[in-house]
Amino acid sequence: MNINSASGAILFKDVPVLSSADITDEYMSSCKAHLQWSSSKYVAFGIGTYIEVSSQRYYLYSSYEPSQTTERKYNYDVYFFSPRSYVNFVPLTFTTRDSTGTAIILTDWSVTDVAKSVFLYITEAIKKAYGFDVSLSIIGEVNASATCSFTNMSIGEGITEACSKFNCE
């Protein structure tokens, strides 16, 4: 398996992946590939570094440096994430404006509204993060009102919070 930079250049060729390599692919969870290996070669990986597993790309969402165990040995213990897990890393923000019209982006906010409206706020955050429109299907009561508080949450955590407040899926 090769490890590629965000631009596609090979950073590490033929990684000697151990049998303990683990791929987890769960909806609304961390869809990830966990790789562990040792090498005499030191390579730091930047954000966007990726691997391909069964034609699916898995990415680093933060930079990574291996740990040095001896003078000539480095241990790699890296988690690469599916783009579907991106919602678990991106903050759920709300944009408002001050009296001068300047945009203020909040990561700590709350709203009291019906389910449909709360989920519209969340889809707007997803649109800002991904750059395209999405729609969510709500299974459950949509006319009830509730207060949802989003304090430094990821989009995925925000969806979970709203679903629990409205008792829906």
Side-chain angles (χ1 to χ4, degrees):
M1 173 179 302
N2 294 334
I3 298 180
N4 305 288
S5 71
S7 66
I10 296 174
L11 297 173
F12 218 117
K13 189 173 177 79
D14 300 324
V15 173
V17 178
L18 303 173
S19 60
S20 63
D22 182 37
I23 296 181
T24 305
D25 196 6
E26 299 174 4
Y27 179 71
M28 285 303 297
S29 182
S30 293
C31 306
K32 61 189 173 202
H34 179 206
L35 303 179
Q36 296 175 302
W37 75 95
S38 295
S39 175
S40 60
K41 182 179 175 183
Y42 172 87
V43 179
F45 304 133
I47 296 171
T49 298
Y50 68 91
I51 60 171
E52 286 191 30
V53 179
S54 302
S55 299
Q56 167 74 40
R57 285 188 179 179
Y58 291 78
Y59 297 87
L60 282 182
Y61 291 135
S62 61
S63 57
Y64 176 83
E65 292 187 41
S67 60
Q68 186 172 9
T69 56
T70 67
E71 189 175 317
R72 296 178 186 215
K73 185 177 179 185
Y74 298 92
N75 282 339
Y76 292 82
D77 188 2
V78 190
Y79 288 89
F80 294 88
F81 295 90
S82 164
R84 288 184 298 181
S85 68
Y86 187 56
V87 295
N88 294 316
F89 295 93
V90 174
L92 177 59
T93 61
F94 179 77
T95 303
T96 187
R97 300 208 175 268
D98 67 11
S99 60
T100 65
T102 303
I104 300 172
I105 299 173
L106 304 173
T107 58
D108 184 359
W109 56 284
S110 64
V111 61
T112 301
D113 213 328
V114 295
K116 179 181 177 181
S117 295
V118 171
F119 283 102
L120 282 174
Y121 292 123
I122 293 171
T123 58
E124 280 300 311
I126 294 170
K127 180 180 179 179
K128 286 179 187 175
Y130 282 97
F132 55 83
D133 288 322
V134 296
S135 62
L136 298 174
S137 296
I138 303 169
I139 301 171
E141 178 59 45
V142 295
N143 294 321
S145 182
T147 299
C148 295
S149 295
F150 306 105
T151 304
N152 295 318
M153 290 185 179
S154 69
I155 292 172
E157 291 168 324
I159 292 170
T160 301
E161 168 72 10
C163 285
S164 71
K165 292 290 184 177
F166 292 105
N167 196 25
C168 64
E169 298 179 24

